[in-house]
Amino acid sequence: MTNKTAYLQVGIWFNEDTKHIHIASSDGGGFISTVCDDPSSKRGNPNLYGKLAKILRGNGLPAPDN
């Protein structure tokens, strides 16, 4: 059986101006993306946004209010 899972280390931060949460890999792979809570947006994923916001708040970092 082959392993079908890739692991990467990422950092997340909240941009208070855009209200987006940024996700970027720290392993030099060049991965960076954003997520917002607006379901009609191309970057919208309210479920993921809420989970990432909870992680930020839990670490005492700036995070969205919701």
Side-chain angles (χ1 to χ4, degrees):
M1 181 173 185
T2 62
N3 186 353
K4 296 181 181 182
T5 303
Y7 294 91
L8 68 142
Q9 188 172 16
V10 298
I12 61 172
W13 67 95
F14 178 59
N15 182 315
E16 295 181 41
D17 293 332
T18 65
K19 305 299 183 203
H20 285 202
I21 295 175
H22 293 250
I23 308 165
S25 80
S26 60
D27 63 2
F31 171 81
I32 187 166
S33 192
T34 60
V35 64
C36 69
D37 66 346
D38 179 0
S40 66
S41 169
K42 180 178 182 178
R43 300 286 182 198
N45 187 324
N47 183 47
L48 178 59
Y49 188 83
K51 290 177 179 182
L52 294 173
K54 183 177 179 181
I55 292 168
L56 289 167
R57 279 192 298 277
N59 282 279
L61 298 169
D65 294 330
N66 56 348

